[in-house]
Amino acid sequence: MAVTGMESMIAAVDIGGTRTRVGLFREGELVSRASFPTEGLREVVRALRELLRRAGVRPASIGVAAPAPLDMRRGVVLNCPNLPHWHGVRVVEELTAEFGCEVYLANDATCAAIGELEFGHRARDFVYITWSTGIGGGIVSGGRVVWGKDGQAGEVGHMVLVPQGPHCRCGKRGCLEALASGTGIARAARELLGEELTAAEVVERAREGDHTAQRIISRACEALGQGIGVLWEVVEPEMIVLGGGLTRSWDYLGPMVVSAAREFARTPPRVELTPLGDDVGLYGASALHRHLSYFR
Ligand SMILES: [Zn+2]
């Protein structure tokens, strides 16, 4: 197939803790997608090639959302504690060499915030929180992404809420992530129920009336509500937007989170779920190039 005259589309990649998503966008519309269990960069390249081949297009650019910590200036994913294939991977350099187009890389939760900004509620001032295996975040103020000095701003999961609380994978104790993430819930279940359960399974046990599971879940929801209350006071957003796997049980968890958030803020925080669901990071990665000029 000749390259000249072939349509080009923006490609997006979202490397998640458990699944990786790839997608193709035409004028802001997700027209083709695939997802698979997260492995390494080779699998990303293979999935992107397959998607492009099936659509018969070439990539105009590629936006990549990856878990922190990463070096945005060099385009490198540094060392994800939970992802063994992603230590020191030169994502921008390698994908540029593979596909011959511009490649952009940013923190996954910041990408999700960009997705929300451009395709979700489109609020000008909000904090996005991923409530999933881990807890990440992104801040948008006055319609602009708050990047911070090195592009790592908005790491809300590592706000310490309970000094001397449970150990966090970051090395500190009592972080929001240690208290309320899927990993934190699973660890509490291991300690208090003596079983290996996923966070979703603990939620189910709680729904079914298991008192210990209910205590684990209500503690996690209280911690998240506390974090939301703090962010509400510090950022003065229009809303706090949540996404991530645990929000699938929002009918059960939401009321607990919102009532805790009210306890920790002077005015009732407005909490919304992203309408983009699991694709929020992909949407943001597709629009990433438009927001990097603010990152110096
Ligand atoms: Zn931490």
Side-chain angles (χ1 to χ4, degrees), residues 158 168 170 175:
H158 299 287
C168 184
C170 74
C175 293

Side-chain angles (χ1 to χ4, degrees), residues 23-37:
L24 294 177
F25 287 79
R26 183 192 283 126
E27 287 164 14
E29 193 194 342
L30 179 56
V31 294
S32 177
R33 63 208 288 287
S35 79
F36 50 94

